[in-house]
Amino acid sequence: MNDFLKVLVDILSQPAILVALIALIGLIAQRKKLSDTLKGTTKTFVGFLVISAGAGILSASLAPFGEMFKAAFHVTGVVPNNEAIVAIALTEYGTNTALIMFFGMMVNILIARFTKFKYIFLTGHHTLYMACMLAVIMTVAGFTSVPLIMAGAVALGIIMSLSPAIVQPFMRILTGNDNVALGHFSAVGYAVSGLVGKAVAGKNPKSTEKINFPKGLGFLRDSTVSIALTMMVIYVVVALFAGPSYVEANLSDGTNYLVFAMIQAGTFAAGVFIILSGVRLVLAEIVPAFKGISERLVPNAKPALDVPIIYPYAPNAVLIGFFSSFIGGIVSMVIMTFTGGVIILPGVVPHFFTGAAAGVFGNATGGVRGAVLGAFVNGILISFLPVFLMPVLGNLGFANSTFSDTDFGVSGIFFGVLANHGGTIAIVVSLIVILAVMFGLSVKRKKNKAIEEEA
């Protein structure tokens, strides 16, 4: 049984396999030729592997930056990182996590089929992380065996449906259509960034992609060049503060510390370039393939895909968003230092992936100011939400890491507070009420459509 669950988790947590299977089902449902089906499925599979490879390169180049930052400025504390906390939790909650993940995906499909929330969440690794967090919280709340799996699966299915819905209005502004959704559990932060962008937009907001460089700096319009040079400056400065002895002894394996910093900066830019290439490949295949799912299995369904799919819409905002979010994390860390209690260190990886996206959405609604301020607020959110999340995670809350993105914080705190004040009954009632509201909104929408058609 455990071997089967491991294989199931391995399949469902891999976006490349999961999305390729969805593309295959969609193309078969459209009765495409065998050659077209094989081509679309394979390109979708390879495209997601390209995105994953780029993300891996980015994460690998950001890891030493985070270590240099801590050494340079002598800071210690808790680093939010989904991968790290899940690796710790799976040793105890692995079986429950696998079952919650599997049945949660079924709940997500049922909600998409029978309500107006037509989003099928396809980011497998984030689904795994959320399932793991829910397994912990439901255990701490007092659920056991089958009720634990049922409560966790329903909660996961609801979150997988609501998260894309929260950010979809801003996806429509960004993409100019309603064909694809965002499947990344930081939707609250992205929506807040979009709202901040609207609030600070003013008249005729200037997009980050229309920044006018002097003629002599025209080469900076190339996003790969601008990202590489900007990151090179940042890496070198932090390396100088960390010092050659620390970098060469602990990070660079003896390579000159400045050479190491420049290589890591260039590697970062290479990772972004690879991600953008993979995104173009996937979107060209998955959206047409998904029409088969939409037409035959879940009418009007939208694929909710991983966060890098939005980066090509505003490459400059990606970099601006990262820096702004990271600064928000630093400001939050300083505040925590003076107020006492837990200190959340700015994790470079979450600040890049969520900050970049927050910058893109802030730019879509408020131009440069929206990108800067929206991402800055995102940085504050992903710094302070973990402080309130950690107490509801039981013994896991005392680990040196915790969940990072906003949706983990919001949903974890919500269910954790319910567990503390009303136990299992409060959680069950809340799940029933949320499902009832979702179905009620869908019925109301159908009635309004029918009235409009009659008129």
Side-chain angles (χ1 to χ4, degrees):
M1 181 65 178
N2 287 334
D3 290 339
F4 171 75
L5 289 175
K6 184 180 184 307
V7 172
L8 187 65
V9 169
D10 287 345
I11 292 173
L12 297 180
S13 62
Q14 292 294 327
I17 295 176
L18 187 62
V19 177
L21 287 173
I22 294 295
L24 176 63
I25 294 169
L27 292 166
I28 291 173
Q30 294 179 75
R31 297 177 182 174
K32 293 285 187 179
K33 294 178 183 178
L34 178 60
S35 58
D36 292 337
T37 300
L38 287 174
K39 185 182 92 170
T41 303
T42 303
K43 290 181 79 172
T44 301
F45 177 65
V46 172
F48 257 90
L49 288 178
V50 171
I51 293 173
S52 298
I57 290 171
L58 271 177
S59 297
S61 68
L62 287 171
F65 179 86
E67 294 302 316
M68 286 192 295
F69 181 85
K70 286 190 284 185
F73 302 106
H74 308 290
V75 291
T76 57
V78 176
V79 181
N81 184 284
N82 294 327
E83 289 78 8
I85 193 68
V86 168
I88 296 170
L90 284 179
T91 58
E92 184 176 349
Y93 302 95
T95 300
N96 289 338
T97 295
L99 292 170
I100 288 173
M101 180 179 180
F102 177 76
F103 290 109
M105 294 176 77
M106 299 301 104
V107 173
N108 175 221
I109 292 171
L110 289 173
I111 290 174
R113 177 66 180 83
F114 295 108
T115 76
K116 73 171 190 174
F117 298 92
K118 304 290 185 182
Y119 307 101
I120 297 181
F121 197 97
L122 296 177
T123 307
H125 63 292
H126 254 225
T127 306
L128 172 67
Y129 301 159
M130 184 64 76
C132 183
M133 186 187 76
L134 290 170
V136 174
I137 290 176
M138 296 304 171
T139 300
V140 173
F143 285 100
T144 58
S145 73
V146 175
L148 187 152
I149 304 304
M150 291 177 62
V154 172
L156 179 60
I158 289 172
I159 295 167
M160 292 170 74
S161 303
L162 291 181
S163 179
I166 290 170
V167 77
Q168 192 61 16
F170 303 100
M171 280 292 287
R172 285 193 287 267
I173 294 172
L174 178 66
T175 64
N177 58 59
D178 204 21
N179 295 333
V180 68
L182 188 62
H184 194 256
F185 287 134
S186 202
V188 171
Y190 304 150
V192 168
S193 182
L195 291 172
V196 169
K198 279 188 175 181
V200 302
K203 293 182 178 179
N204 301 318
K206 183 178 182 179
S207 171
T208 57
E209 309 314 297
K210 293 183 178 178
I211 295 174
N212 293 320
F213 296 102
K215 287 186 178 180
L217 298 177
F219 61 90
L220 292 176
R221 291 192 182 93
D222 187 314
S223 61
T224 302
V225 175
S226 61
I227 288 172
L229 293 178
T230 304
M231 293 306 294
M232 206 168 288
V233 172
I234 299 298
Y235 271 74
V236 167
V237 168
V238 174
L240 287 169
F241 276 97
S245 57
Y246 174 81
V247 175
E248 292 171 15
N250 296 282
L251 300 174
S252 72
D253 197 24
T255 300
N256 179 273
Y257 73 117
L258 295 180
V259 172
F260 175 76
M262 289 188 285
I263 292 296
Q264 295 305 311
T267 303
F268 178 94
V272 173
F273 181 84
I274 292 170
I275 284 176
L276 299 183
S277 300
V279 167
R280 295 185 188 100
L281 182 60
V282 169
L283 289 182
E285 300 296 332
I286 189 64
V287 173
F290 208 79
K291 287 182 180 178
I293 303 287
S294 179
E295 291 169 359
R296 296 180 181 273
L297 302 178
V298 185
N300 302 315
K302 299 177 184 65
L305 304 174
D306 202 359
V307 69
I309 64 165
I310 69 167
Y311 294 167
Y313 289 95
N316 290 342
V318 166
L319 200 59
I320 291 171
F322 167 42
F323 290 143
S324 300
S325 182
F326 192 70
I327 291 170
I330 293 173
V331 170
S332 301
M333 180 185 70
V334 171
I335 294 172
M336 293 175 198
T337 302
F338 283 103
T339 57
V342 177
I343 297 175
I344 302 295
L345 300 183
V348 183
V349 173
H351 277 290
F352 173 75
F353 285 102
T354 70
V360 172
F361 284 116
N363 176 66
T365 56
V368 175
R369 280 184 291 181
V372 172
L373 294 176
F376 179 81
V377 172
N378 174 80
I380 292 175
L381 286 174
I382 66 172
S383 298
F384 279 98
L385 282 174
V387 173
F388 300 100
L389 174 64
M390 290 173 70
V392 305
L393 294 177
N395 291 333
L396 195 65
F398 298 101
N400 290 325
S401 185
T402 189
F403 295 93
S404 57
D405 303 354
T406 54
D407 293 3
F408 291 98
V410 171
S411 55
I413 292 167
F414 174 75
F415 287 114
V417 169
L418 286 175
N420 289 338
H421 290 85
T424 57
I425 294 175
I427 290 178
V428 170
V429 170
S430 72
L431 293 175
I432 293 171
V433 170
I434 293 170
L435 284 175
V437 170
M438 293 174 75
F439 278 93
L441 290 172
S442 303
V443 170
K444 183 179 179 182
R445 185 184 183 187
K446 287 181 180 178
K447 286 183 179 179
N448 290 339
K449 275 191 174 181
I451 292 171
E452 289 175 4
E453 289 173 0
E454 288 178 4

